[in-house]
Amino acid sequence: MRSARLAVIVALVGLALSQPTVSWSIAQSSSPAPSRPTRQVTDITGRIVTIPSRVSRVADPWHANNGMVLMMGAADKIVATTLQARRQPWFRKLFPRIEQVPAAFDEAGDVNIETLISTRPEVVLMAYGGTVPRWKTTADAYGIPVFMMPNTSLADLKTTARMTGDVLGPRESARAAEWIRYFDDNIRRVTAVTSRIPASERPRVLHTATGTILTIDGVKTVIDDWITVAGGVNAATVVSNARPVGMEQIAAWNPDVIIVGTAPNEENRRAILKDPRWSQIKAVRTGRVYVNPTGVYLWDRHSAEAALQVLWAAKTLHPTRFPDLDLEKETKAFYAKFFNHTLTDAEYETLMRATAP
Amino acid sequence: MIRRLILLAVPFLLLFVSLFVGRLDVGPGDVLRIVAAQLFPIQRSWSESVEIIVVQIRLPRALMAMCVGGGLSISGAAFQGMFRNPLVSPDVLGVSAASGFGAALAILLSRSTLELQVLAFGFGLAGVAITYLLARVYQTTPVLMLVLSGVVVAAFFSALLSGAKYVADPESKLPAITYWLLGSFNAATLRTVVTVVPAIAVGTIGLLLVSWKLNLLSMGDEEASALGVRTEQLKAAIIVCTTLITAAAVSTSGVIGWVGLVMPHMARTLVGPDHRRLLPAALSVGASYLLVIDGVARTAAAVEIPIGILTAIVGAPYFAYLLRRTSGTWQ
C-alpha cells in the first residue's frame, strides 16, 4: 500500500522534472480515466484556466475565430463550431471537412450543451464582450474549460491571435506569432504614410453593416480602428457595430467614401447608387462607393484577413499615396503563406467582389 | 363641428411641421420655398441636397407615418367593435406575425427592399386567410373561433420567425431582422408611399363605409342579424379591409405595436363609442400620434430609435391609466 503511494509520487516528480518549462499539475477529476498532464493559461478576464498540455479538441463558438484557427493550421482540432462559420464559402473551400463538424453554437453564441459535451472538447475558445456565457457553470461541471479572448479592436485581434495560438500548442503559437509580425508590418507600412496625412485630407468614411435595413458601424469597433489606420475618419459618430441610422443622419454626416460591408455587397452597393435619397451624398456624387472584400471571414471584421484589410483600405482611401502597393500580389502572397492556397486570378476577383469562389 | 375640424386639421398640421424637423439643419425658409415649389413655379434658390432632404427623405417618412398610424388605429377601432372587446388590436388574426416572417425570409435570402415588401404583404394576407378558414364553422365565423384561430396562426408564424432569426447571420442579418421587427419608417421613399397608400386608402374607405353597421354588430351577431345586417358578409368585409391596411403597414414599416390597441381608446375618450364618429377620430388620432413619435425617433439621437419601442413606452402607461380610470369596464 505504502509502496504504491510512493511509486505514484516518484512518477509525478519524474514527470514534473521532465518538462520544467510548463507548470504541471494533475487534473482534479473524479473520473477513473488516467489523469492527463495539464497546463495553465490565463484568459482575458484574468481567470487561470487549466487545459490539457496538448490540446487536440477545441470548441469554437466565435464565427470569426474559426478562420484564425484555420490560418494557424489547426482547423482539424475544431470539434464544435457555429452554423455561420460552416457557411462561409471560402472557409468551406479551404477546409471542406468543416461541414461534418457539429454546430453546437447558434448565431448568438448560445449553446446546445449536450451537443457540446458529446463532442468532448478540451477547451472552448470564446469571445469576451463583457459577460461570461450563462452555460459556463454547466461546462465547468463537465470539466470543459471556457477560455475568453477580447474582440473589440485591432489590438484585441492580435491579443486573440496570440492567446488562440497559446491554447492550441507550440506549432500554432509560432504561426500566430508569424501572423502578428505580418499584421504589424502592414500596419507600420500603412501608418508610415497615413500618419503624415493632415486632418483636412482624411476622407470621412461610412461603413455599412446591412443593406435592406440600414445599419452602420460606429466608433469603438475594429472597423473604426482600420479606418483610422488607413488614413480615414469614421463618418459615423454612434458607438458600436451595426447601429440603425436614419437617411437624414447619413446626409448630415455626408461621407466622402462609403464602404459596403455586407452580403450581398455588390447588390447593396448598386441599391445605394440607384436610390435618389443617396444621390446627393458626396461619396455617391464622386463615385467613391466600394465593396468590402470577403474571404475565409469578412475582411472588415475580426478576421485573419484584417491584416490585408488595412492595406486594401489604405489603397482604397489614398490610391495616389500608395503607388507601389500591389494589392493583388499582397493578397495572393498572404493566402499562399497563411492558408496554403494559391489564388487564381478569378478567385482573387471573387474575394474583391465578396462573392463565393 | 369645431371638434371635427380640429381632428381633421391636426394630422395635416403635424405633417407640415414634420418637414421642418430633422437631424440636419435646414432653414425654415428653404423648407417653405421647397414645399411651395412643389405646387407653384418658383425660382430655385436652394441646393439640390436640401431639396432631397425635404422631398425625398422627410416627406415620404412623414406621409408613411401618417398613413400607417391612421390605418392601424382605424383598424384597431373596427376590430374592437367587431370583436366586442377593448383588448383587441389589428394583429389579432395573426397578420403581423405572418408578415414579419415574410420580411425575415426576404432579409435571410438577401432580397431587395421591394421584394421584402411583396413577401411581407403576401404572407400577411395568407396568414389571415388561414385564420379565417380555420374559424369557419357551418357557414359562420364566430368571434371566439376567430380569436383562437388567430392565436394559432400567430404562434405558428412566430415560431417560423424565430427559426429565421436562429439561422440568420449575427453580424448583419440578425440585427436587420431585429430592427425591422421593432418598426421604422427609415425605408420610406416616395415610391413605397405610392405603392402602399392605395391599399391603406381602400381599407380605410371600406371601414368608413361600414362604420354605422359596426354599431349594430357591436351589439352581438344575433342582435345585428335580427336588425337585418348580414353579419357574415360584414365581418368578412371588415377583416379584408383591416388586413389590407395592416399588411401594407407591416410590410413597409415593420411591426409597430400599441398604436392599433391604444389609439382607438384615445379617440373614444374624445368622441364617444359611436363608430360613425369613432372611426374618423381614430384615423386622425393615430396619424397624429405616429407623426409625433416618428419625429422623436428620427431626431432624438444619431442612432435611429425603433418606433416599436417608443410606441410601447408611451402606449403602455396610457393604457394602464385608462384601465385604472375605468376600473376595467371601458365605459
Side-chain angles (χ1 to χ4, degrees), chain B residues 200-221:
Chain B
I200 294 185
V202 165
T204 304
I205 291 168
L207 289 178
L208 289 173
L209 286 176
V210 299
S211 61
W212 65 275
K213 285 190 189 164
L214 255 172
N215 284 340
L216 304 178
L217 194 63
S218 62
M219 294 190 295
D221 283 18

Side-chain angles (χ1 to χ4, degrees), chain B residues 6-58:
Chain B
I6 291 174
L7 277 174
L8 185 68
V10 165
F12 291 99
L13 197 69
L14 286 170
L15 174 69
F16 185 65
V17 171
S18 296
L19 300 180
F20 293 84
V21 183
R23 295 290 299 172
L24 260 183
D25 253 346
V26 180
D30 273 351
V31 177
L32 271 178
R33 276 189 288 276
I34 290 166
V35 171
Q38 308 302 311
L39 308 170
F40 316 101
I42 290 182
Q43 183 68 45
R44 180 192 279 253
S45 63
W46 54 87
S47 71
E48 196 181 344
S49 49
V50 171
E51 178 158 347
I52 282 181
I53 298 294
V54 176
V55 178
Q56 305 265 19
I57 296 175
R58 288 182 187 173

Side-chain angles (χ1 to χ4, degrees), chain A residues 61 63 105-111 126 135, chain B residues 165-166 168 170 174:
Chain A
H63 321 290
F105 303 90
D106 71 12
E107 302 298 342
D110 217 343
V111 73
M126 188 90 201
W135 44 266
Chain B
K165 286 167 90 169
Y166 178 77
L174 189 59

Side-chain angles (χ1 to χ4, degrees), chain B residues 4 14 42 47 51 93 96 152 165 172 185 196 200 222-223 235 251 253 272 296 326:
Chain B
R4 253 185 250 179
L14 286 170
I42 290 182
S47 71
E51 178 158 347
L93 301 182
S96 295
V152 170
K165 286 167 90 169
S172 56
F185 294 111
V196 160
I200 294 185
E222 283 170 28
E223 285 82 352
K235 278 196 281 191
S251 64
S253 316
V296 175
T326 61

